Amino acid sequence: MAIGDHLREYREKLDITQIEAAKLLGIDHSALSKYEKGDLGISIELLLKIKEKYKIPDDQFLFMLQDKRYKSEDSIIEARESKARYIETFQDEYVNEVIHLKEYRDFTMDIVNFAETDKERRKYIINRLKKD
């Protein structure tokens, strides 16, 4: 398994799309796709940025670089913790930039009050974005 495969697997474990990840990394999503497929070499600088933005722990990152599968004692808990680290960082970097806007808070409350499931929330968000 190449480094690109490891990075794709980790990104998917975080439950983020290639488009979201590419925006986070400041690159085009087609380039990210090529990196993950192994069609394009990844620079050291980008690898370090991915490690930082995805919040990959040092030990896991070393396993990825060595093309080894990381074995945690409880992969389900480890995946939840990885996603929680990512979400916390995302909130700190992005949500804090817009939370002071009344429109953001209104939109967020509408989403939560309108729908009970993630599927309904996604549908609401997509429809609302199409209107704007």
Side-chain angles (χ1 to χ4, degrees):
M1 178 183 272
I3 185 71
D5 294 322
H6 289 286
L7 296 173
R8 177 187 39 76
E9 215 173 71
Y10 199 87
R11 175 185 56 76
E12 290 172 348
K13 183 171 59 172
L14 295 177
D15 193 28
I16 59 175
T17 65
Q18 275 189 344
I19 292 172
E20 181 181 351
K23 286 179 184 177
L24 183 71
L25 298 168
I27 61 174
D28 188 80
H29 78 276
S30 63
L32 181 59
S33 176
K34 290 176 184 175
Y35 291 134
E36 289 183 352
K37 288 179 186 175
D39 294 342
L40 194 60
I42 307 173
S43 69
I44 297 293
E45 293 81 13
L46 183 57
L47 278 172
L48 294 174
K49 190 172 189 178
I50 292 169
K51 178 189 180 303
E52 173 196 340
K53 295 294 185 177
Y54 289 6
K55 299 298 180 197
I56 304 172
D58 292 342
D59 55 346
Q60 277 186 270
F61 191 65
L62 287 173
F63 272 82
M64 288 177 180
L65 293 175
Q66 296 171 12
D67 196 17
K68 294 180 181 176
R69 187 158 294 286
Y70 181 78
K71 302 207 190 259
S72 62
E73 291 183 22
D74 190 333
S75 59
I76 294 172
I77 290 174
E78 187 267 325
R80 281 189 204 136
E81 289 173 351
S82 296
K83 189 172 179 181
R85 277 192 308 273
Y86 171 75
I87 294 296
E88 183 178 310
T89 300
F90 182 87
Q91 288 173 331
D92 290 345
E93 290 184 26
Y94 296 98
V95 175
N96 288 339
E97 292 293 318
V98 295
I99 200 164
H100 67 281
L101 299 172
K102 180 188 178 306
E103 294 81 2
Y104 173 80
R105 294 189 311 273
D106 287 344
F107 182 64
T108 303
M109 287 188 288
D110 287 348
I111 294 166
V112 172
N113 292 327
F114 173 77
E116 294 181 15
T117 66
D118 282 348
K119 184 177 180 180
E120 290 172 337
R121 289 181 187 116
R122 282 187 190 100
K123 185 177 178 181
Y124 178 79
I125 291 168
I126 290 167
N127 289 334
R128 202 50 205 272
L129 291 173
K130 284 179 183 177
K131 288 179 185 176
D132 295 338

